[in-house]
Amino acid sequence: MAVETLSVILLVALFAFLATGLWVGFALMAVAWIAMTVATSVPPGTVFATKVWGALNIWDLTALPMFLWMGEILFRSNLSRNMFAGLAPLTRRLPGGLLHVNILGCALFAAVSGSSAATTATIGRMSLPELEKRGYDTRMAIGTLAGSGTFGFLIPPSIILIVYGAATEQSIARLFIAGIVPGLMLAALFAGYTAIWAMMHRERMPQADSAHDEAGKLRAFMGLAPTIGLIIAVIGSIYAGLASPTEAAVIGVIGALILASASGEFGRTAFTESLLRATRTSCMIAFILAGAAFLTVAMGFTGVPRSLAGWIGEQGFSPYVLIAALVIFFIILGCFLDGISIVVLTVSVILPMVQAAGIDTIWFGIFLVLVVEMSQITPPVGFNLFVLQSVTGRNIFEIARYAAPFFALMVLATALLTAFPEIALWLPRTMMAR
Amino acid sequence: ETKWDMPTPYGDAVFHTQNIMQFAAAVKEATGGELSITVHSANSLFGHAEIKDAVRRGLAPIGEILISRMANEDPVFGVDSIPFLAASYEDAEKLWKASREDIAAKLDEQGLTLLFAVPWPGQSLYVNEEVTSTDQMQGVSFRAYNAATERLAQLMGAVPTQVEAGDIPTAFSTGRVSAMITSPSTGASSKAWDFVSHYIDTQAWLPKNMVIVNKQAFDALPEEQQKAVRDAAAEAESRGWEMSEAETAEKIQVLTDNGMQVSAPSETLKEQLGAIGQTMTDEWLAEAGDEGKAIVDAYRAM
Amino acid sequence: MRRFLNGLYAISLGLSALCLTLIAILVAAQIAGRVGDRILLAFGTDAVGLAVPSLAEIGGFLFVAASTLALAPTLKSASHVRVTVLAAALGAKGARVLDSAMLAGATVLAVFAAWHSTLQLIDSWKFGSVSYGVVPVPLWIPQAAMSAGFVVLAIAVVDELVTLLRGGVPDFRREEEGRDAVSGAVE
Ligand code: NA
Ligand code: NA
């Protein structure tokens, strides 16, 4: 069957399955099953079992439930409330106020977690209820979170950069370092946009907290201490060589348990609830990962992404046009496949054309992460959207709408990165010069 | 016209993958396009851990894996990963001649046909000081990723530390590990000079990747296509061994060019490591029984 | 029957949570071993290399088990994500028809998943497949958890379909409606 016909059939099928309200994991499975049955001679059932087993049997994934659990513990104790109370006076004069906590929180958390879903879920669980309580605009609260959640991939450690580095024989250490400045730039763009938005929409911002006296300020500020201590413990355990980034998540759980118990508001019921809720959220994400893995292998067998990428290669584009074409290609593919799958499926075809065009491979890794991050917030298949639907109960299309400005900022960041490649390349060159 | 999908674990820049690409092209050419193989590199179709079962179950007719990944299934698959048993290309080739038939027979029992095998460059030490004796390895945290590397670490007096491949740079820079044993290829591609200073060229063992094909799928091919595959495989094997040897020199040069201290093992170290090799060979023989003994005897007689 | 099924889902969720707790405990032991080694080194003695053997592999297996065993209870509590835009537009009656069709499709998929993961488990068991790391773990053990998870998921989907066809409200719908009411109240 021609690639075009197959692509159309699969797209229609995906939208149809999702529209019936089929759970996302099942919908992805169904599309994969159709693709394999229609276009290959491989037995779909055996492939399903082999691939789902392989896709979930991954050590690095264990950090996901641990971080989710940490978030649930903090949410159920008074720690996240105290943290916001402590931050409120600090951000009082800043246009956008506590909305910046989403951006800063995600950037900090991303320095520990390699996954965007874990970043979005953990920060979202703590911040969204607090922001809502304080009268912040829900749309903006969700939008900043959806956007900032994607830092998980760009700021090291990063699962995507590890996958890309392994597939292309690049130094993972250099890729990690190359992601730092672009990650900070993106955070600055988000914060700048949030500040401007807040100044232009004063009516949708809450009244500033009444000014505290100095003692009140100090008390509120002291409320920040436990959370800051926890962040230092988690990051510190990695840099002291006591824990790998995957293991550090457990330091987070233990730290959160200690702090929550010390606060006195965290009993056995809260413990059980936190664990069960983390179990369910982790399962929700894992089910979609399983469906996505089956779809990825089906796509590998049908060769659709390969031939689409190959088509771009045949056009003989100049470097800038090639980059632009790839951005569009990845955005379209990113609507339907998850980011890591796209990298895995296409890098073998795309990297040679990128190298032929004289584009630096470290730079291209960062570029890839940026465009793949966009796929996290584009419907219908976007992990941050699923996570946020599960946290807020709002549907993915609504969340995607709130995230749209941040999507646009990511496109802008990609343009900046293309115009000024040094944004990615300067730091690794400087730090790694021997 | 037959189309085969071929999952492989390593990236396109790795010489194993490049050799396999040439193998696939040779098969296509020799069969006049009647049999074409699409290589899915870098775990893009199935992950390394799944490739063997995927080929066995007929999900992919052909694939590549590291032979010693199967060592827990049968000790025979671990024969090329015994430190210092065959620590050069010449010896590795002899060992392969001595063990090939047994390995092929074990694979045949699983419904797999062995096509060819190509070694990685020898496994050498990456450490943070000039190590001239295993005394200096006492208490050093040493990366272990399977039973054999764990035992090696213990015998050197080092502390075996589990570190996953993607975590190596972080583990070194934060001090969770400070020594490892791997090929110059992996050292160069991971830019080992970013986090470790000395390379000691022990070439302790030359682990091999093998290309296996589902027996049913292979037998279903017409006679002349089977022959074409066999011929291309034989060519790929001899080409692969040459590529591997060239790669060793080339990648050690890369390490030197980037400021790593490259040195040959001292006489003391050689002696100590030889003794460790003997211990590990004995332990392997105890596990592998008569079959194993026959392989080692045949190898030593060559 | 009802009690048996609810018990089954509860056990499944409990086992899943237990797997996650085990991950936390094993990792904590691993970190404690490293800290212990640091302390020994600081006192001038040799490090002993306390470590949990094959932690990475066992962690992966526990994650598979945790992820699959929780599938059914997660579905029942409406924690799996789905798009309900069309159902909301259709009104109560239309939504029931749509849900029936959707659950019928989900039944096919869940049975497919349960069947093939069980075949995989049998294959690994017959074949004696073991893991690759320091501890050779028979793969059928974690694969049995995966298979059990999908079987319970299939049971749960059929359970919901039967409830709906009998004129009742499936658990996941009740949870979703409860949630809508809450978020509606906040706005
Ligand atoms: Na990160
Ligand atoms: Na998307």
Side-chain angles (χ1 to χ4, degrees):
Chain A
M1 185 182 291
V3 165
E4 296 82 7
T5 329
L6 183 63
S7 314
V8 171
I9 292 176
L10 297 179
L11 282 187
V12 171
L14 179 63
F15 274 103
F17 288 132
L18 288 173
T20 62
L22 194 59
W23 289 279
V24 174
F26 277 135
L28 298 177
M29 266 174 71
V31 176
W33 185 85
I34 292 178
M36 296 209 66
T37 310
V38 172
T40 77
S41 55
V42 193
T46 324
V47 171
F48 169 83
T50 308
K51 196 63 193 183
V52 169
W53 164 252
L56 295 183
N57 174 18
I58 291 179
W59 161 239
D60 287 331
L61 283 178
T62 57
L64 173 72
M66 294 303 124
F67 280 130
L68 295 174
W69 193 7
M70 178 188 86
E72 292 295 333
I73 296 166
L74 295 178
F75 169 76
R76 280 177 172 73
S77 64
N78 55 11
L79 287 164
S80 53
R81 194 179 342 125
N82 287 350
M83 179 174 75
F84 274 82
L87 287 170
L90 293 179
T91 56
R92 215 162 56 87
R93 283 167 198 279
L94 191 64
L98 287 169
L99 287 173
H100 292 283
V101 175
N102 272 345
I103 301 167
L104 183 70
C106 286
L108 265 179
F109 191 79
V112 188
S113 158
S115 123
S116 285
T119 308
T120 312
T122 312
I123 299 295
R125 194 76 178 106
M126 293 185 279
S127 79
L128 287 180
E130 289 295 328
L131 290 175
E132 188 150 353
K133 222 177 340 184
R134 286 157 195 274
Y136 279 87
D137 184 68
T138 313
R139 281 171 281 187
M140 199 59 185
I142 294 178
T144 48
L145 186 68
S148 314
T150 63
F151 295 163
F153 285 141
L154 191 55
I155 297 175
S158 154
I159 295 176
I160 292 199
L161 286 178
I162 291 179
V163 169
Y164 175 80
T168 61
E169 295 279 295
Q170 295 298 311
S171 149
I172 289 164
R174 279 161 198 249
L175 284 167
F176 276 7
I177 292 171
I180 295 175
V181 177
L184 295 178
M185 174 185 79
L186 195 58
L189 283 175
F190 285 6
Y193 169 78
T194 304
I196 293 170
W197 180 91
M199 287 190 284
M200 290 172 65
H201 298 86
R202 286 185 194 282
E203 74 289 353
R204 279 160 67 185
M205 288 295 290
Q207 294 296 311
D209 284 8
S210 51
H212 288 288
D213 53 30
E214 287 305 313
K217 259 188 199 165
L218 187 68
R219 221 178 15 254
F221 193 65
M222 288 308 286
L224 275 175
T227 326
I228 292 176
L230 184 61
I231 294 170
I232 292 174
V234 173
I235 299 183
S237 71
I238 298 176
Y239 286 96
L242 292 175
S244 71
T246 308
E247 294 164 346
V250 173
I251 303 259
V253 171
I254 295 170
L257 277 176
I258 293 172
L259 292 177
S261 315
S263 76
E265 284 183 25
F266 190 77
R268 182 180 293 190
T269 324
F271 174 85
T272 314
E273 274 176 9
S274 70
L275 176 57
L276 292 184
R277 170 86 192 225
T279 306
R280 285 195 292 258
T281 307
S282 162
C283 171
M284 179 276 285
I285 296 173
F287 186 37
I288 301 175
L289 280 176
F294 186 32
L295 185 57
T296 302
V297 74
M299 289 295 113
F301 275 116
T302 60
V304 171
R306 255 183 198 246
S307 44
L308 291 178
W311 179 84
I312 296 178
E314 287 158 15
Q315 306 308 307
F317 290 138
S318 69
Y320 282 113
V321 181
L322 176 67
I323 293 292
L326 287 176
V327 170
I328 294 166
F329 169 70
F330 282 119
I331 288 177
I332 293 173
L333 222 54
C335 289
F336 309 103
L337 292 171
D338 84 279
I340 298 180
S341 304
I342 300 172
V343 173
V344 165
L345 287 171
T346 59
V347 80
S348 201
V349 182
I350 286 175
L351 200 72
M353 57 172 114
V354 164
Q355 283 169 328
I359 296 167
D360 185 280
T361 37
I362 294 272
W363 179 88
F364 189 69
I366 304 304
F367 163 85
L368 258 187
V369 172
L370 260 179
V371 287
V372 156
E373 281 188 343
M374 297 177 199
S375 76
Q376 300 281 318
I377 54 172
T378 51
V381 179
F383 270 85
N384 283 12
L385 302 179
F386 299 143
V387 166
L388 283 171
Q389 171 167 344
S390 139
V391 173
T392 65
R394 286 157 196 273
N395 79 64
I396 53 170
F397 294 102
E398 192 183 337
I399 296 167
R401 217 164 55 233
Y402 303 156
F406 298 90
F407 174 83
L409 288 173
M410 285 186 209
V411 177
L412 173 64
T414 313
L416 288 173
L417 186 72
T418 309
F420 308 103
E422 288 298 302
I423 294 171
L425 296 176
W426 174 77
L427 194 60
R429 183 153 52 232
T430 314
M431 278 182 68
M432 294 294 191
R434 278 209 190 183
Chain B
E1 190 193 351
T2 314
K3 283 188 172 163
W4 279 3
D5 288 293
M6 178 173 190
T8 73
Y10 302 98
D12 294 339
V14 175
F15 77 92
H16 284 286
T17 312
Q18 289 168 352
N19 187 32
I20 284 171
M21 299 278 193
Q22 292 185 39
F23 161 76
V27 168
K28 191 167 184 180
E29 163 123 36
T31 58
E34 283 304 301
L35 175 60
S36 65
I37 299 175
T38 307
V39 180
H40 300 265
S41 58
N43 300 314
S44 59
L45 196 62
F46 290 104
H48 201 164
E50 282 77 51
I51 291 177
K52 196 267 283 180
D53 279 338
V55 178
R56 183 169 63 79
R57 292 172 185 155
L59 309 183
I62 183 168
E64 179 202 33
I65 63 161
L66 185 70
I67 300 182
S68 53
R69 272 199 84 98
M70 294 170 69
N72 279 350
E73 284 183 19
D74 192 307
V76 167
F77 294 114
V79 72
D80 67 3
S81 298
I82 304 169
F84 309 104
L85 175 63
S88 68
Y89 276 92
E90 205 182 323
D91 285 351
E93 203 169 344
K94 287 182 194 162
L95 183 63
W96 177 223
K97 274 189 186 137
S99 59
R100 179 176 195 141
E101 275 185 21
D102 284 276
I103 287 176
K106 294 278 178 196
L107 290 169
D108 189 72
E109 285 170 21
Q110 301 197 15
L112 297 168
T113 302
L114 172 71
L115 286 183
F116 63 93
V118 172
W120 284 94
Q123 307 287 300
S124 295
L125 283 173
Y126 290 74
V127 280
N128 273 321
E129 57 174 345
E130 165 108 51
V131 172
T132 53
S133 150
T134 51
D135 297 347
Q136 287 163 274
M137 297 299 287
Q138 296 302 312
V140 168
S141 49
F142 185 91
R143 179 188 177 226
Y145 54 90
N146 60 10
T149 44
E150 172 165 307
R151 185 72 184 126
L152 174 65
Q154 284 167 347
L155 289 170
M156 284 194 300
V159 179
T161 307
Q162 301 163 44
V163 177
E164 299 301 293
D167 185 32
I168 292 175
T170 315
F172 267 96
S173 6
T174 60
R176 243 182 308 127
V177 284
S178 41
M180 67 174 172
I181 189 158
T182 192
S183 68
S185 310
T186 308
S189 67
S190 64
K191 301 206 167 27
W193 50 87
D194 285 347
F195 49 81
V196 65
S197 57
H198 287 67
Y199 169 87
I200 300 178
D201 193 33
T202 55
Q203 308 213 3
W205 70 96
L206 286 72
K208 293 186 291 292
N209 287 355
M210 63 180 171
V211 170
I212 47 178
V213 49
N214 181 291
K215 197 160 81 177
Q216 244 181 336
F218 187 67
D219 293 347
L221 293 177
E223 199 74 28
E224 69 276 9
Q225 286 187 20
Q226 291 189 19
K227 186 175 176 307
V229 173
R230 289 262 185 221
D231 291 347
E235 260 174 60
E237 179 153 317
S238 53
R239 183 179 56 229
W241 281 72
E242 280 164 25
M243 288 170 98
S244 177
E245 206 163 348
E247 165 105 354
T248 308
E250 202 179 294
K251 290 296 153 79
I252 292 177
Q253 190 57 47
V254 171
L255 298 180
T256 316
D257 291 347
N258 285 284
M260 279 190 79
Q261 295 293 316
V262 173
S263 56
S266 70
E267 285 307 315
T268 323
L269 185 65
K270 253 189 194 163
E271 224 166 85
Q272 290 165 326
L273 293 177
I276 290 174
Q278 189 54 53
T279 311
M280 288 189 68
T281 307
D282 292 342
E283 287 173 356
W284 181 81
L285 283 170
E287 219 186 318
D290 293 341
E291 210 174 9
K293 190 170 176 304
I295 293 175
V296 172
D297 288 347
Y299 159 65
R300 288 195 167 139
M302 274 184 214
Chain C
M1 189 66 180
R2 183 75 269 143
R3 269 183 59 191
F4 168 76
L5 287 175
N6 287 346
L8 182 67
Y9 308 137
I11 290 172
S12 202
L13 182 65
L15 285 175
S16 171
L18 187 68
C19 289
L20 293 186
T21 317
L22 263 175
I23 294 176
I25 292 172
L26 291 177
V27 172
Q30 172 92 345
I31 297 170
R34 251 181 240 135
V35 174
D37 271 352
R38 289 282 174 90
I39 295 171
L40 286 178
L41 281 174
F43 281 98
T45 37
D46 280 345
V48 283
L50 293 168
V52 179
S54 278
L55 175 63
E57 277 191 343
I58 292 168
F61 296 155
L62 287 169
F63 183 78
V64 176
S67 303
T68 45
L69 285 169
L71 283 169
T74 303
L75 183 131
K76 283 261 171 182
S77 69
S79 303
H80 282 310
V81 174
R82 66 192 200 105
V83 179
T84 51
V85 181
L86 184 58
L90 282 178
K93 211 167 179 187
R96 284 186 76 88
V97 176
L98 190 65
D99 279 348
S100 318
M102 182 277 279
L103 282 169
T107 303
V108 174
L109 290 163
V111 170
F112 166 85
W115 174 249
H116 286 286
S117 44
T118 307
L119 288 183
Q120 170 173 263
L121 144 73
I122 294 171
D123 178 83
S124 295
W125 180 67
K126 272 194 186 155
F127 196 79
S129 296
V130 286
S131 69
Y132 146 80
V134 177
V135 182
V137 180
L139 293 186
W140 70 265
I141 299 174
Q143 286 175 349
M146 171 171 153
S147 173
F150 279 117
V151 169
V152 180
L153 175 67
I155 294 172
V157 174
V158 172
D159 185 7
E160 297 287 58
L161 179 59
V162 169
T163 307
L164 185 71
L165 292 180
R166 278 185 177 164
V169 181
D171 283 345
F172 78 92
R173 280 300 295 163
R174 184 173 306 122
E175 290 287 330
E176 282 174 358
E177 279 156 17
R179 202 173 296 159
D180 289 348
V182 171
S183 63
V186 171
E187 274 190 277

